[in-house]
């Protein structure tokens, strides 16, 4: 058997998300909406997505507080593994924007593009056993109905995860069943107009 092709070093360029509904304009926001928009994913800027969800400030705050607790909590499952679970769910759900965001986050947190390069170039055999186990679990749990079973848990344990870390991974995957389905009907991703599309959208 020939050796697998070497993985390229890749960089994913950010996609833009364009809402179908007019976002809340900060200058026109109600006091409740302004207060809600102080709660952002990991204290990031008030994006068009945040301003779109702020039409319903109460549910936005509940959703984002839960999201931050799952994805940015200290301790437990390492952040790159949480991002890989989110990426696996987003790929399964066909949410291109979320897949792009969390692929780039995984690259940033892990300090390596190898995992993302393997996925984007169809060379999953080059993934570590831990990454393979995380992605297999994410994809199985994302199916409707879920196909995840004891064999997936056993595989994660064989890769060194304890029970608490597996629960963190389940949360990271599950929250994207919600997050992806918010993004899909509310808007669409697109390549910024300032750059030319590549054969694989978002890949340079």
């Amino acid at each position: 058997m020939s050796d697998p092709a070497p993985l390229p070093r890749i960089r994913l360029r950010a996609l833009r998300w364009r809402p179908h509904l007019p976002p809340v304009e900060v200058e026109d926001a109600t006091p409740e909406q302004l207060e809600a928009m102080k709660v952002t994913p990991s204290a990031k800027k008030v994006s068009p997505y945040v301003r779109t969800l702020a039409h319903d400030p109460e549910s936005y705050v509940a959703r984002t507080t839960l999201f931050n607790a799952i994805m940015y909590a200290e301790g437990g499952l390492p952040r790159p593994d949480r991002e890989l679970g989110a990426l696996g769910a987003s790929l399964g759900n066909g949410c291109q924007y979320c897949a792009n965001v969390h692929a780039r986050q995984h690259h940033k947190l892990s300090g390596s593009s190898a995992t993302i390069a393997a996925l984007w170039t169809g060379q999953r055999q080059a993934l570590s056993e831990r990454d393979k186990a995380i992605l297999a679990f994410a994809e199985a749990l994302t199916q409707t109905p879920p196909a995840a079973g004891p064999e997936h848990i056993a595989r994660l344990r064989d890769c060194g995860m304890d029970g608490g870390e597996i629960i963190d991974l389940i949360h990271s995957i599950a929250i994207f069943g919600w997050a992806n389905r918010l993004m899909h009907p509310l808007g669409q991703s697109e390549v910024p107009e300032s750059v030319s599309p590549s054969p694989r959208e978002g890949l340079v």
Side-chain angles (χ1 to χ4, degrees), residues 107 163 204:
H107 182 177
V204 294

Side-chain angles (χ1 to χ4, degrees), residues 99-130:
N100 177 276
V101 167
H102 294 282
R104 289 187 293 109
Q105 275 290 89
H106 183 276
H107 182 177
K108 177 181 176 181
L109 292 167
S110 67
S112 170
S113 68
T115 297
I116 306 310
L119 288 173
W120 257 244
T121 59
Q123 298 187 64
R124 287 201 176 200
Q125 72 278 6
L127 294 170
S128 69
E129 290 304 312
R130 185 181 179 94

Side-chain angles (χ1 to χ4, degrees), residues 34 42 50-51 66 87 95 100-101 104 113 152 154 174:
L34 289 172
S42 189
V50 167
R51 292 189 291 113
L66 177 61
L87 172 57
C95 187
N100 177 276
V101 167
R104 289 187 293 109
S113 68
H152 292 91

